[in-house]
Amino acid sequence: MEEKEIKALISKINADDYKGLGIASVDTISIAFDCIIGMPLTSFVKQIMITPMHYSNIRFTKRLLLFMNSIEALKQSEKNELSRILNENGGIRAGEIILELIERMDDDKKVILLAELAKGLLWDKEMNQERFYRFGYIIKNTFYSDLTQITSFHEQNYIPATSESLYSYGLLFVETIEAHNEISMNRYKITSSGHLLSKYVQKVGG
């Protein structure tokens, strides 16, 4: 499936008269998904895309296409390698995991971020399969606005609510320092995982 075709489908979804994709389009999307992820779409997912009776179905269809559009430009050899990496550990069904992540994400930018992380598996020595899936879980469960604040902790010690959220997912750690008045104080700092994820968040933008 060509990038321009995916963009045309996204435009169709954004239109007020969107009634669902045709069977031919969905079958083409399924083949493209299989080439990239290593698994065709299930009949249940296809049905959602053909007859989106609810807003959640329309949202899922659009975000699946956004994910694919973000990585469609990869060469076929790169898609094959990405599929191999995503599925390299026995028992992991990359397609099922990615579809579940996309379905549960509440922001288009989260889906694009997931795609950027997937591409990072090809070129970034710091990125691996375990980190990709771990980051996918974090992105799904965190406010996107919180993720954009990670780099703020280079200069700030605490951001209400955001600090606790990022800390709970291992993106920040607490450093205890001794103040001049001898009262211990806690300072939030970025972990190595936080540094890596923030690099991809900056690619997507706020």
Side-chain angles (χ1 to χ4, degrees), residues 107-110 112-113 143-151 198-206:
D107 192 299
D108 290 353
K109 290 180 179 178
K110 288 187 175 184
I112 298 172
L113 175 56
F143 287 117
Y144 185 78
S145 59
D146 285 352
L147 296 175
T148 64
Q149 294 293 316
I150 297 175
T151 55
S198 68
K199 179 171 66 174
Y200 288 89
V201 173
Q202 290 178 66
K203 288 184 179 181
V204 176

Side-chain angles (χ1 to χ4, degrees), residues 97-127:
I97 295 173
I98 289 173
L99 287 173
E100 180 179 356
L101 289 172
I102 292 173
E103 192 274 329
R104 294 179 180 275
M105 286 181 177
D106 58 3
D107 192 299
D108 290 353
K109 290 180 179 178
K110 288 187 175 184
V111 178
I112 298 172
L113 175 56
L114 185 68
E116 289 297 323
L117 290 169
K119 289 187 288 187
L121 287 167
L122 297 172
W123 305 307
D124 191 340
K125 292 182 179 180
E126 292 185 273
M127 185 62 62

Side-chain angles (χ1 to χ4, degrees), residues 179-194:
H180 294 300
N181 59 5
E182 298 184 353
I183 297 176
S184 296
M185 299 178 63
N186 292 331
R187 177 172 61 184
Y188 286 90
K189 299 187 70 175
I190 310 172
T191 64
S192 59
S193 291

Side-chain angles (χ1 to χ4, degrees), residues 146 153 158-170 172 188:
D146 285 352
F153 290 89
Y158 179 76
I159 301 175
T162 299
S163 298
E164 289 83 357
S165 173
L166 299 178
Y167 172 77
S168 68
Y169 291 111
L172 300 178
Y188 286 90

Side-chain angles (χ1 to χ4, degrees), residues 17-190:
D17 61 348
Y18 174 64
K19 303 298 181 183
L21 300 179
I23 295 176
S25 293
V26 173
D27 284 342
T28 302
I29 293 168
S30 180
I31 293 171
F33 189 78
D34 190 10
C35 289
I36 297 170
I37 306 302
M39 186 192 88
L41 299 178
T42 65
S43 57
F44 177 73
V45 171
K46 289 182 179 180
Q47 192 62 35
I48 288 176
M49 299 174 74
I50 294 171
T51 56
M53 299 177 65
H54 304 286
Y55 170 74
S56 60
N57 293 5
I58 298 173
R59 183 187 64 184
F60 169 76
T61 301
K62 177 184 177 181
R63 290 179 178 166
L64 174 58
L65 290 172
L66 284 173
F67 176 84
M68 295 177 61
N69 185 62
S70 295
I71 57 179
E72 180 63 24
L74 293 174
K75 298 176 182 177
Q76 187 56 52
S77 59
E78 293 171 331
K79 293 177 183 178
N80 293 340
E81 177 63 9
L82 176 58
S83 178
R84 184 194 68 77
I85 295 172
L86 288 171
N87 293 282
E88 65 183 350
N89 290 338
I92 287 182
R93 297 279 291 172
E96 294 177 2
I97 295 173
I98 289 173
L99 287 173
E100 180 179 356
L101 289 172
I102 292 173
E103 192 274 329
R104 294 179 180 275
M105 286 181 177
D106 58 3
D107 192 299
D108 290 353
K109 290 180 179 178
K110 288 187 175 184
V111 178
I112 298 172
L113 175 56
L114 185 68
E116 289 297 323
L117 290 169
K119 289 187 288 187
L121 287 167
L122 297 172
W123 305 307
D124 191 340
K125 292 182 179 180
E126 292 185 273
M127 185 62 62
N128 56 39
Q129 187 203 63
E130 189 275 335
R131 273 189 155 174
F132 171 78
Y133 288 122
R134 183 180 296 275
F135 285 155
Y137 173 82
I138 292 171
I139 295 166
K140 179 192 71 172
N141 291 288
T142 310
F143 287 117
Y144 185 78
S145 59
D146 285 352
L147 296 175
T148 64
Q149 294 293 316
I150 297 175
T151 55
S152 299
F153 290 89
H154 285 301
E155 299 176 354
Q156 299 187 57
N157 295 333
Y158 179 76
I159 301 175
T162 299
S163 298
E164 289 83 357
S165 173
L166 299 178
Y167 172 77
S168 68
Y169 291 111
L171 303 177
L172 300 178
F173 71 94
V174 175
E175 180 184 62
T176 301
I177 59 176
E178 295 295 329
H180 294 300
N181 59 5
E182 298 184 353
I183 297 176
S184 296
M185 299 178 63
N186 292 331
R187 177 172 61 184
Y188 286 90
K189 299 187 70 175
I190 310 172

